[in-house]
Amino acid sequence: QVRLVESGGGLVQPGGSLRLSCVASESIFWFNAMGWYRQAPGKERELVASINSGGSTNNADSVKGRFTISRDNAKNMVDLQMNSLEPEDTAVYYCNAVRGGGPRTINYWGDGTLVTVSS
């Protein structure tokens, strides 16, 4: 069973920065894609950013120009650099890894890390 462990969440003031990290229990080289999702209170979980095995990234419109996703295959790690944080970014952030495709797609999830943006 793949384990994903997130870290780096916390309380930050508006305009500040945080860097989230996700470490996988096995090589991320074999995952089709990895990403970060978030879920705010009373809202559905939404994609924040993803990166595929080729290094191509996809960011939600709400975070473009502010958040950057990166992966380090040697460290089995995916990071999310978050700049210019806004109160609307407050949420639990989840690391996601995808293996396979079509009907054989398997999603793995971490337990989440809380990000609170408040003055």
Side-chain angles (χ1 to χ4, degrees):
Q1 180 70 12
V2 175
R3 290 187 63 238
L4 303 174
V5 180
E6 303 101 334
S7 62
L11 173 64
V12 63
Q13 292 186 344
S17 297
L18 280 176
R19 188 176 184 89
L20 304 183
S21 293
C22 170
V23 179
S25 60
E26 61 182 71
S27 174
I28 67 172
F29 179 81
W30 302 108
F31 292 122
N32 293 23
M34 297 193 71
W36 288 92
Y37 287 70
R38 68 186 180 187
Q39 187 166 18
K43 295 187 177 181
E44 294 185 355
R45 190 174 298 190
E46 63 176 1
L47 174 68
V48 176
S50 65
I51 184 167
N52 65 18
S53 57
S56 296
T57 62
N58 177 44
N59 285 12
D61 288 343
S62 59
V63 306
K64 283 182 179 178
R66 300 189 298 124
F67 292 9
T68 302
I69 188 170
S70 61
R71 63 191 287 166
D72 186 332
N73 289 347
K75 296 182 179 179
N76 298 331
M77 182 181 296
V78 175
D79 287 352
L80 184 69
Q81 177 66 41
M82 306 186 294
N83 299 326
S84 301
L85 282 160
E86 305 168 351
E88 292 74 21
D89 296 317
T90 295
V92 177
Y93 284 71
Y94 297 91
C95 181
N96 167 260
V98 180
R99 176 174 288 164
R104 298 184 177 182
T105 298
I106 301 174
N107 279 279
Y108 302 98
W109 295 95
D111 291 334
T113 185
L114 177 62
V115 172
T116 303
V117 184
S118 175
S119 55

